[in-house]
Structures are given as C-alpha cells and as structure tokens.
Amino acid sequence: MPDTATVWELLAGGSGESPAIAAPSREPLSYDGLRRQVQATVRTLNGFGIGRNDRVAIVLPNGPEMATAFVSVACAATAAPLNPAYRQPEFEFYLEDLSAKALILEAGSDSPARAAAVELGIPIFESGADLEAPAGTFDCAREGSGGNGTNGANSTGEGLRDGLAEADDIALILHTSGTTSRPKMVPLTHRNVCASAVNVQHTLRLTAEDCCLNVMPLFHIHGLIAAVLAPLGTGGSIFCTPGFNALRFFAWLDESRPTFYTAVPTMHQAILARAPRNRDAIDRANLRFIRSASAPLLRQVMAELEETFGAPVVEAYAMTEAAHQMTCNPLPPAPRKPGTVGIAAGPEVSVMDEAGALLPAGEVGEIVIRGANVSDGYENNPAANAEAFTNGWFRTGDQGVMDDEGYLRITGRLKEIINRGGEKISPREIDEAILDHPAVRQVVAFAVPHPKLGEDIAAAAVLREGMEATPRELQAFAAERLADFKVPRKILLMDDIPKGPTGKLQRIGMAEKLGLT
C-alpha cells in the first residue's frame, strides 16, 4: 500500500459502488457516494469562508451522519467532535477554547450547544439527514441567524485556505479528559491520523471484506480511528449504530454480520451479561476477531469473550496523543498474552526511568512512545509539553514492563497508583484478584482518603445476575490472593458502576462520586 498522508487519500481505495457506511434499517452509502459527500461538504464550508485548519465543532448523535460529517469536515477543515451530553457552560468552554469557526448541529436540535454558539457568536450549520437516502448522506446548510462574532467564519474568503486538506494540516483536535486538571488540546495532523489508521489496518489484517460494527461514541479517538478510518482505508465498511446499547447489540450483530467489533471493556462486559439469552444470534455471527482498547481488559473478561463468541480477542493499548493505537496483541497464529497489551503496533514503544534513561526488559518504568502517529504536542501548553516529552519520546503517564519478547504489561496509571502509607499499589492487581470470584461480573478498585496513611483502598463491584456475595466474603476472597495491605478496606456492591462519557471506568474521582471522601 502506498503511503497515505491525508484522509481524502485514505478513501481512495474504496471501490465505487461497494458499501462504505451502513446503519440499522438503512440503505448503505457507497464509496462513490461518500466521496461525493466529502466534496460537497468541502465546497459548502469553503463557500462560507471556512477552510484548512479552521476548527469546526461537530455535535451530532452517534450514527452514520456523525461518521460522514467527521470524515468530510476533516477533508476541508479541522474536525472537533464534542460530546452531545455536555451542558451549555461546557460547550461554551470547549467552543471558546477551540476558537471554533463554526458548529455543526442536527437540524432542529435543541442541544445546549446551540445557545453556547449564539452566545459566542459562532455560525451554526444544520445537518439534515434523509432517512430514505443512503446512510450517512446529509445536507449542511448555514443557519440564517448564525452570529458574526469574533470567532465567526470569514464569509469574504479573505485568506481562505480552500480545497482539500494537506498532510501537515490538522485533521482532528480533541481535548484530554481533564480528570485531574484543565483539559488539554491535542491537535492531530492528517499524517498522524492516517499513520494510526494504517497501523490498525496492518495489526488487524483488514481487507475490503471486513465490516466493523461500531458501538463506540464518535467524539472519541477509539471510534474515529479504529472503527471509522481504519476500515475505510482498506475499502471495508462500517455499520454505524446510534451508540452502545447492550439490549440491541445482538440484533445489530444479526443485521450487520460484521467481521469484528471494537469496544471498551465495560461494553464487552455488558455484552457478556446478555449473551446467555442471545445464543442463537451468537451462533449465527461469524466474527473474525474482537478488539478491546481504551482501558485495561482483565484476563477473565478476555477468556469469557473468546469462549462465548469463538473468536480471538485482541487487546490494544491506545491514547488520544498517539492518534489511538500504540501496541496490540497480534492475531493468531502469533501468540496472544492475556494480561499484556501486546507488542508495538506502529510507533516505537519503550520503558523509561524518571531520569530519562530507557530500561531493559523486565524493569518497571514509565511507558514512552515515538512515531508518525504521535502528536507533536499539546496546543498552547508549553509547560505540559515540557513534562510530556523527553529526548523525543512522549511520556504516556502509564507504568509498565516489557518482557523479552516485546510484550508490554501495564502495571498502572501513574496518577492512579494508590500510595497507602508509602506502599505503592496497582489497583488493576486488586481488580484481577476480586474478579476471580465466580459471583463478580465487574469490579474497580480505587483510592480513598485516609487521615494517617494518606490513601487507603476501596472497591466497587457488580455481581452476576442470580448470584450472591457479601462485601465481607469478597474481602476474605481477596485476602487469600493479596497481601493484607492490598485488601480493600471497603467494598461496595452496586447495580452499576459510574462510567465516564466514553464508557470507561474512571478510578480518579470515583471515591468522590460514591460519597467516600
């Protein structure tokens, strides 16, 4: 495959009338149709003075129009997808931080993003979808009442960089989660996102025959790269759902007949919880593999997925600053090592000590990366960049160890390591110990404040349907597998554990969410 440096070039491999974008109960959009949609969007945005490197915020529900809007806007300007669940003050923060030149909303939407854009004087474009038309087709029209404030589009076209975006233009800009500080902006060039998409293609051996069932939110790097750009780059197709729904997953599996799906571990666990009553759909499915990323996949969940679906499960290690994928467990016949995130899958990956020296296999340190998919740095944040880069390597903030064969095991997020009176404890180790209990479906361990030790350990657990266990029983079970100082002092049994907007369990802040502070 020739080097692919822009999203437009990525679409070139799709055969004319082959399906590119599909959705429940919709006619699919062909590659020719997708390319026409991109060109029409480029002309529309250019016509209103919006061009390359201008930021266009996208607030659309998950689905085929969100996928095509992302691809189309990235080819004309810089796509800035935002979580539709934000409140107006959050939208105002993100729109202003981005210096957004426009906002794309679903036609007739009463999203608080509309009021935020009006407040900031940002022009609004409405995306109108015809449900009788192929999935992903949309019209993008400027709303007549759009503002003309300082952030507004330059309708005169003066200084406009029009036409299709180039390799070093910013294709996508996302904010980090901001769990412990102000969210940082991560600009990703076309080279970055295309390098990552190609890395995913090679790792998963994707071809034009592959179809991805997408359940990931499309304001998140995981869905945008692994579920959208990677399949499109090989002429494959994407079945775009309205978002993750464990109750509807098996019907979508039946309708789309995908070769794979990619999701975060909490989604896999919700699917497994519904699997026993959907055995017929599972038997009809013909998944080539299942992919997991964006949070650690516990070995017990991996084993249950493989047993349930009869397909290999590969876990990838990914983050926004790397335009998603960094490592991945390879597909058979290469060995997969449960409990590891596999081998380098695109960028160079190593482990570094605090002083900046690279460590040999077997030694624990901070995981570092460098490569074509890695962002050059955070926008307007020299202090964060100084901390993040050492000798050209990007520090991930994750602690890990690499074995002699290059397989990487993550031992914890540095900011999540629990410091109990000087004892450093990886919460993932506690998760794995408790999840071995037959009654436990899901568990997350986290730090809670302690007046003398600084931090102590708590955990929240969800039990399997029809099974019982008490917190004291789970503590006793953990005590048989862990040193005393690692056993959670408190275990909460819950119907559901609070999750972040992308479906990930977030240890930082969990104690506060559950009223344990």
Side-chain angles (χ1 to χ4, degrees):
M1 176 186 288
D3 286 343
T4 302
T6 69
V7 172
W8 176 253
E9 291 170 0
L10 201 70
L11 303 180
S15 179
E17 291 307 309
S18 296
I21 306 287
S25 305
R26 299 276 299 277
E27 179 189 342
L29 179 67
S30 69
Y31 271 89
D32 278 348
L34 176 57
R35 288 187 280 258
R36 286 193 295 270
Q37 178 68 63
V38 169
Q39 290 170 322
T41 306
V42 172
R43 286 193 300 271
T44 297
L45 293 176
N46 286 175
F48 284 101
I50 298 169
R52 292 160 42 209
N53 293 312
D54 289 332
R55 278 77 188 277
V56 178
I58 308 171
V59 180
L60 295 174
N62 237 43
E65 286 74 36
M66 178 61 215
T68 54
F70 158 62
V71 171
S72 300
V73 170
C75 287
T78 297
L82 296 176
N83 185 348
Y86 286 151
R87 308 290 187 194
Q88 184 176 334
E90 292 170 302
F91 279 123
E92 289 182 10
F93 167 80
Y94 288 111
L95 291 171
E96 191 165 33
D97 204 37
L98 287 163
S99 299
K101 292 292 177 68
L103 167 68
I104 296 179
L105 280 176
E106 192 175 30
S109 168
D110 60 357
S111 165
R114 183 183 298 277
V118 170
E119 179 72 22
L120 295 170
I122 296 172
I124 296 169
F125 287 77
E126 289 202 318
S127 165
D130 178 359
L131 296 183
E132 300 303 314
T137 309
F138 66 91
D139 293 321
C140 191
R142 168 80 180 266
E143 189 178 70
S145 59
N148 294 304
T150 56
N151 285 342
N154 174 8
S155 60
T156 67
E158 184 180 345
L160 172 68
R161 292 160 291 188
D162 60 0
L164 291 165
E166 298 178 2
D168 293 321
D169 291 333
I170 305 301
L172 171 65
I173 189 162
L174 295 169
H175 283 81
T176 57
S177 60
T179 308
T180 57
S181 61
R182 177 189 170 95
K184 298 186 285 283
M185 281 191 287
V186 183
L188 296 165
T189 65
H190 280 260
R191 286 191 201 278
N192 293 151
V193 298
C194 290
S196 192
V198 170
N199 291 342
V200 174
Q201 292 163 12
H202 290 167
T203 302
L204 303 179
R205 304 201 287 269
L206 298 182
T207 71
E209 304 303 312
D210 280 300
C211 172
C212 176
L213 170 58
N214 179 51
V215 293
M216 285 298 299
L218 293 180
F219 54 82
H220 188 255
I221 194 73
H222 181 160
L224 295 172
I225 303 297
V228 175
L229 292 187
L232 290 180
T234 54
S237 62
I238 311 147
F239 188 87
C240 296
T241 71
F244 180 69
N245 185 324
L247 299 177
R248 300 173 67 186
F249 175 84
F250 294 95
W252 293 331
L253 192 69
D254 248 357
E255 183 179 353
S256 62
R257 295 302 168 96
T259 57
F260 76 101
Y261 79 91
T262 181
V264 298
T266 52
M267 294 176 181
H268 293 305
Q269 290 175 295
I271 289 165
L272 287 172
R274 307 286 309 176
R277 65 196 78 177
N278 288 280
R279 195 65 250 177
D280 287 350
I282 292 170
D283 291 341
R284 286 189 295 271
N286 189 29
L287 292 171
R288 185 162 69 83
F289 63 89
I290 294 168
R291 182 178 185 271
S292 187
S294 301
L297 180 71
L298 298 179
R299 55 181 170 75
Q300 297 96 329
V301 180
M302 180 178 176
E304 191 176 352
L305 276 171
E306 292 197 338
E307 183 181 355
T308 298
F309 285 94
V313 175
V314 294
E315 181 179 5
Y317 170 44
M319 66 191 309
T320 302
E321 291 89 339
H324 192 49
Q325 182 171 282
M326 297 180 286
T327 71
C328 190
N329 262 288
L331 287 166
R336 282 166 295 124
K337 294 188 180 182
T340 78
V341 288
I343 56 178
E348 291 180 80
V349 182
S350 192
V351 177
M352 182 179 281
D353 66 15
E354 290 183 7
L358 298 181
L359 297 171
E363 291 200 23
V364 176
E366 184 172 4
I367 301 165
V368 293
I369 57 168
R370 64 183 179 187
N373 57 311
V374 182
S375 172
D376 288 338
Y378 302 108
E379 184 168 294
N380 300 328
N381 202 329
N385 288 330
E387 289 182 9
F389 290 90
T390 299
N391 302 327
W393 292 90
F394 176 78
R395 291 180 172 271
T396 63
D398 290 317
Q399 184 190 77
V401 59
M402 195 173 284
D403 71 14
D404 291 334
E405 295 180 296
Y407 283 75
L408 182 68
R409 181 168 62 88
I410 299 172
T411 53
R413 184 81 182 146
L414 289 173
K415 290 178 181 175
E416 293 176 351
I417 298 293
I418 300 168
N419 188 347
R420 184 182 183 275
E423 295 280 6
K424 303 291 178 66
I425 302 158
S426 168
R428 177 172 174 166
E429 182 184 1
I430 299 164
D431 292 353
E432 290 184 338
I434 296 174
L435 199 62
D436 274 335
H437 192 287
V440 176
R441 160 65 66 193
Q442 192 175 69
V443 64
V444 60
F446 52 92
V448 290
H450 189 280
K452 294 180 181 176
L453 298 171
E455 291 181 327
D456 207 343
I457 308 162
V462 177
L463 300 182
R464 293 179 184 273
E465 192 173 337
M467 300 190 77
E468 294 183 0
T470 66
R472 189 177 294 278
E473 287 169 354
L474 296 181
Q475 286 172 311
F477 184 83
E480 294 173 1
R481 289 156 177 78
L482 298 169
D484 287 347
F485 69 88
K486 295 180 182 179
V487 176
R489 295 300 171 262
K490 189 175 189 66
I491 297 180
L492 301 178
L493 297 181
M494 308 184 71
D495 293 331
D496 190 36
I497 300 172
K499 300 172 186 67
T502 59
K504 292 193 290 185
L505 295 171
Q506 297 178 317
R507 298 184 202 276
I508 296 175
M510 185 66 75
E512 188 175 359
K513 282 182 184 175
L514 300 182
L516 299 179
T517 55

